[in-house]
Amino acid sequence: MGELPLDINIQEPRWDQSTFLGRARHFFTVTDPRNLLLSAAQLETSRNIVQNYRAGVVTPGITEDQLWRAKYVYDSAFHPDTGEKVVLIGRMSAQVPMNMTITGCMLTFYRQTPTVVFWQWVNQSFNAIVNYSNRSGDTPITVRQLGTAYVSATTGAVATALGLKSLTKHLPPLVGRFVPFAAVAAANCINIPLMRQRELQVGIPVADEAGQRLGYSVTAAKQGIFQVVISRICMAIPAMAIPPLIMDTLEKKDFLKVGNSTSPVLEWGMAGRRSDQAPTLSPAWSDSINVSKLEPELRAQIHEQNPSVEVVYYNKGL
């Protein structure tokens, strides 16, 4: 068996991202919880394989499948721009188990004020770690910015949850079940822009098709952050908007009226199943923008460097 060629594009996903099946295979691989069990040595080996291949050096004896496996292990544990290893619960491979647990608890313990406050706090603490770990670009974030984003999002989520809980006291029980989803949606609108405010100030890197950086764009940052906010809210729908409808129907049946112990199990099970499916609703890390939509200064700079470039690419984060 000969050596692998150097023309395999591991900068992009292995499967076609224009199809649902391609996105599903890509995100199920990136978010595979089994990646959390990999040792530091295994992660380092995968990083070396990927970095060497990008530098034009093929690891002896490696197959194409092993190269793609190393690429997805690398993507699941290291930040694409900074190259730093992401904290364990901030990795995309932790999304399903963490979201299953937190979402299940938010959906189950939504009736009492103390539990609402506690689980909204837990959820926003987790979200702050995820948003920081999967931010776009390599611009530094200060401790003050992190603290402001965390406190603002947590306050917003708790205030939304408690306010809606109070308003739904005299409404049908089904309405109250949607309070956690509304709180999470509101928090995403606060947390993500604040956590990534540095990008809105200085911009994020944009590059040509070959990956050559052309400059920093605030316009691209705004577009990317808006897409991430919408994507996060849509990703929460399967786990937080569908189970309430199912549980409200099931709790009217006799087998759930006998005891409440079955409800949390069903809530967590559905949250886990929907969390596993939700990533396919999300677009990929990278996106593009026409040069004509960029800031005038950057547009002029790009036209001066390479007049043929009409579209630039950027990492919008997740």
Side-chain angles (χ1 to χ4, degrees):
M1 184 173 62
E3 190 176 79
L4 273 182
L6 289 171
D7 60 353
I8 300 174
N9 186 10
I10 60 173
Q11 294 292 116
E12 298 294 331
R14 185 175 189 178
W15 300 283
D16 184 5
Q17 296 300 282
S18 65
T19 67
F20 177 84
L21 181 59
R23 291 196 303 273
R25 296 183 71 179
H26 169 68
F27 278 101
F28 285 155
T29 304
V30 171
T31 60
D32 188 346
R34 292 176 297 179
N35 289 336
L36 296 173
L37 304 177
L38 297 175
S39 66
Q42 289 172 305
L43 295 178
E44 196 60 35
T45 297
S46 294
R47 176 159 69 172
N48 290 336
I49 291 174
V50 170
Q51 291 182 340
N52 287 341
Y53 187 83
R54 288 173 177 171
V57 179
V58 178
T59 302
I62 193 174
T63 65
E64 183 174 348
D65 285 340
Q66 289 172 331
L67 174 64
W68 281 111
R69 170 59 181 162
K71 174 258 195 310
Y72 276 103
V73 168
Y74 175 82
D75 287 351
S76 74
F78 296 91
H79 192 279
D81 289 331
T82 65
E84 65 184 13
K85 185 185 293 184
V86 176
V87 64
L88 192 67
I89 64 173
R91 299 174 190 173
M92 295 312 295
S93 49
Q95 290 298 293
V96 173
M98 291 298 295
N99 277 322
M100 178 179 68
T101 303
I102 297 173
T103 301
C105 288
M106 285 195 295
L107 293 175
T108 302
F109 306 114
Y110 68 93
R111 293 182 175 90
Q112 302 297 322
T113 298
T115 55
V116 169
V117 173
F118 176 75
W119 285 110
Q120 287 296 334
W121 168 73
V122 170
N123 185 51
Q124 291 313 312
S125 298
F126 172 63
N127 284 343
I129 294 173
V130 172
N131 291 338
Y132 173 76
S133 301
N134 296 282
R135 67 198 183 279
S136 173
D138 48 15
T139 53
I141 300 177
T142 66
V143 174
R144 182 177 180 179
Q145 290 172 330
L146 286 173
T148 300
Y150 173 66
V151 172
S152 300
T154 303
T155 302
V158 171
T160 301
L162 295 181
L164 292 178
K165 180 176 178 294
S166 175
L167 292 174
T168 58
K169 281 183 179 180
H170 304 295
L171 296 177
L174 176 61
V175 178
R177 288 182 176 273
F178 288 99
V179 168
F181 171 67
V184 167
N188 276 326
C189 294
I190 299 171
N191 195 334
I192 296 173
L194 284 176
M195 188 66 68
R196 298 173 58 175
Q197 60 184 289
R198 180 69 176 170
E199 299 170 31
L200 296 173
Q201 296 170 352
V202 302
I204 58 176
V206 295
D208 58 21
E209 193 172 5
Q212 182 69 35
R213 282 194 182 184
L214 302 173
Y216 285 78
S217 171
V218 172
T219 301
K222 291 178 180 178
Q223 176 176 297
I225 290 173
F226 175 76
Q227 291 175 337
V228 170
V229 170
I230 299 302
S231 173
R232 288 288 188 86
I233 294 174
C234 290
M235 287 173 66
I237 291 175
M240 303 195 73
I242 296 177
L245 295 172
I246 298 174
M247 291 302 299
D248 186 69
T249 301
L250 292 179
E251 287 190 352
K252 295 175 182 177
K253 307 296 182 181
D254 290 340
F255 74 96
L256 280 183
K257 280 186 176 181
V258 174
N260 293 326
S261 59
T262 309
S263 298
V265 176
L266 290 176
E267 294 275 17
W268 293 333
M270 285 188 289
R273 179 61 177 164
R274 299 300 176 180
S275 295
D276 194 36
Q277 296 170 340
T280 59
L281 298 173
S282 172
W285 272 88
S286 60
D287 207 341
S288 61
I289 185 172
N290 289 328
V291 173
S292 60
K293 295 182 179 179
L294 298 175
E295 299 88 328
E297 299 83 0
L298 179 58
R299 188 166 62 239
Q301 177 182 322
I302 293 174
H303 283 157
E304 182 179 347
Q305 294 176 353
N306 193 339
S308 64
V309 174
E310 297 181 356
V311 177
V312 293
Y313 302 85
Y314 61 91
N315 166 22
K316 65 177 177 55
L318 281 179

